[in-house]
Amino acid sequence: MSYSNGYIKDMLAKENYLFELNAGIKVLMFPCLNDNYGYLVHHESSGHTACIDTPDADEIIAQCKKMNWQVTHILNTHHHFDHAGGNERVKNFFNATVYGFIHDKERIPEIDVLLEDLEELNLLGSKIKIFHTPGHTLGHIIYHFPEAKVIFVGDTLFSLGCGRVFEGTMNQMWDSLNLFKKLDPETIIFCAHEYTESNAKFACYIDPDNEKLKKMQQKIINLRKQNMPTLPSTIKVELELNPFLGRNFKNIAQNLGIEGASPEAIFARVRAEKDRF
Ligand SMILES: [Zn+2]
């Protein structure tokens, strides 16, 4: 286990990070494109390897070669090019099966298996639960491995932030984010982008009296100075510090002069403030 308190303790190598989780699940995380992370999820005894999205096909293939893994499943979170742009090449290279949300069947290249909200898959020796989280896009889904206590959240949730609301409504995004409150607090969160430093800057701006947040920001700045990832995070850390999840809405609303507003309205305002930040 190379994971503790939201921070990486050990590195396999500078260009990738290996996590050994419960239920025989290994996760290889590697930076790619400008600020994306690619993820390979491996289960030794079934021989299955899933890649979560295909931000960079060449990098996925290179990382697989290093690990001697073969991608058997491509699990797409949403249709954006930095998530599904490598589907065709990765699928053809490994003869893998592509999964995505049913209503995105026209937008996710090479899709084979159409998933629905709350569907459960049995892959990688694990139960994998699908949650539909509209907001960033209308067809966004996330993948929860309850036994390994890990969730791949795409562009729905970021550490100390959340995805931009491009296609859905603010209320849809708020409902999608509320899902995280139902999960085991120890659940490990892998997000699709390294946005934490700028998210921390905004979080400290919108929630300025939060001392824990200030401490967290300093840790994040130090990690990024060494070019280290700030991910994964955990549900516990995000529920406590993420300004989009509601724990500090009372203080935030006061600072914004909207005391007494509904949580949906406060969320919408915080998201709009971040868009302008
Ligand atoms: Zn996206």
Side-chain angles (χ1 to χ4, degrees):
M1 187 86 170
S2 50
Y3 172 80
S4 171
N5 292 335
Y7 291 102
I8 286 156
K9 296 294 180 197
D10 306 309
M11 285 182 283
L12 181 75
K14 212 144 170 70
E15 69 275 17
N16 61 18
Y17 305 87
L18 184 68
F19 301 88
E20 293 190 15
L21 307 179
N22 298 335
I25 292 291
K26 290 181 184 174
V27 176
L28 188 78
M29 171 170 98
F30 48 93
C32 56
L33 304 181
N34 280 339
D35 49 28
N36 281 71
Y37 284 115
Y39 295 103
L40 290 165
V41 187
H42 181 73
H43 181 249
E44 200 68 53
S45 41
S46 65
H48 289 170
T49 303
C51 70
I52 310 295
D53 288 328
T54 54
D56 182 336
D58 289 340
E59 192 58 32
I60 289 165
I61 291 165
Q63 294 288 344
C64 276
K65 274 190 185 149
K66 271 189 215 167
M67 301 304 291
N68 202 18
W69 293 349
Q70 303 280 321
V71 174
T72 47
H73 307 89
I74 296 169
L75 305 180
N76 281 126
T77 61
H78 64 298
H79 72 93
H80 285 159
F81 187 74
D82 61 327
H83 294 261
N87 275 13
E88 189 181 357
R89 180 152 154 69
V90 176
K91 177 181 177 168
N92 291 336
F93 190 90
F94 293 105
N95 195 23
T97 307
V98 179
Y99 293 70
F101 190 56
I102 183 164
H103 295 150
D104 264 348
K105 65 176 190 284
E106 309 298 335
R107 304 202 290 183
I108 291 180
E110 302 288 330
I111 193 166
D112 297 304
V113 180
L114 307 178
L115 300 173
E116 297 187 50
D117 188 26
L118 305 179
E119 190 168 340
E120 282 181 10
L121 298 172
N122 265 297
L123 304 174
L124 300 114
S126 300
K127 184 170 93 174
I128 306 173
K129 183 133 188 177
I130 313 303
F131 294 105
H132 181 213
T133 58
H136 178 68
T137 67
L138 284 172
H140 199 296
I141 56 174
I142 62 180
Y143 295 87
H144 181 218
F145 293 59
E147 291 128 339
K149 286 195 188 177
V150 62
I151 190 159
F152 295 90
V153 298
D155 286 355
T156 293
L157 184 70
F158 296 118
S159 183
L160 304 181
C162 73
R164 263 180 195 259
V165 180
F166 284 127
E167 295 179 5
T169 64
M170 289 289 190
N171 280 357
Q172 276 179 321
M173 190 61 159
W174 172 246
D175 287 344
S176 294
L177 292 174
N178 275 314
L179 165 83
F180 296 110
K181 297 173 188 172
K182 297 178 194 149
L183 300 180
D184 184 328
E186 302 302 322
T187 305
I188 294 165
I189 303 171
F190 284 108
C191 319
H193 291 274
E194 181 57 78
Y195 288 159
T196 318
E197 191 171 0
S198 62
N199 286 342
K201 199 173 165 193
F202 173 74
C204 289
Y205 157 79
I206 205 85
D207 190 8
D209 304 319
N210 190 331
E211 291 306 320
K212 277 191 174 170
L213 199 51
K214 283 180 200 162
K215 271 190 199 154
M216 176 66 113
Q217 186 189 25
Q218 206 44 59
K219 280 186 189 171
I220 288 161
I221 289 169
N222 291 340
L223 281 170
R224 295 308 297 152
K225 260 189 204 153
Q226 302 165 67
N227 205 23
M228 297 266 293
T230 62
L231 299 173
S233 186
T234 62
I235 294 290
K236 191 176 163 186
V237 167
E238 294 309 315
L239 288 186
E240 182 166 22
L241 297 177
N242 190 315
F244 294 94
L245 294 182
R247 173 74 59 88
N248 276 336
F249 270 10
K250 204 171 165 226
N251 292 344
I252 291 171
Q254 217 163 29
N255 289 330
L256 291 169
I258 52 168
E259 297 99 320
S262 67
E264 294 90 329
I266 299 169
F267 167 75
R269 176 67 186 276
V270 174
R271 187 59 257 180
E273 292 284 332
K274 176 69 165 69
D275 291 346
R276 281 195 289 270
F277 188 67

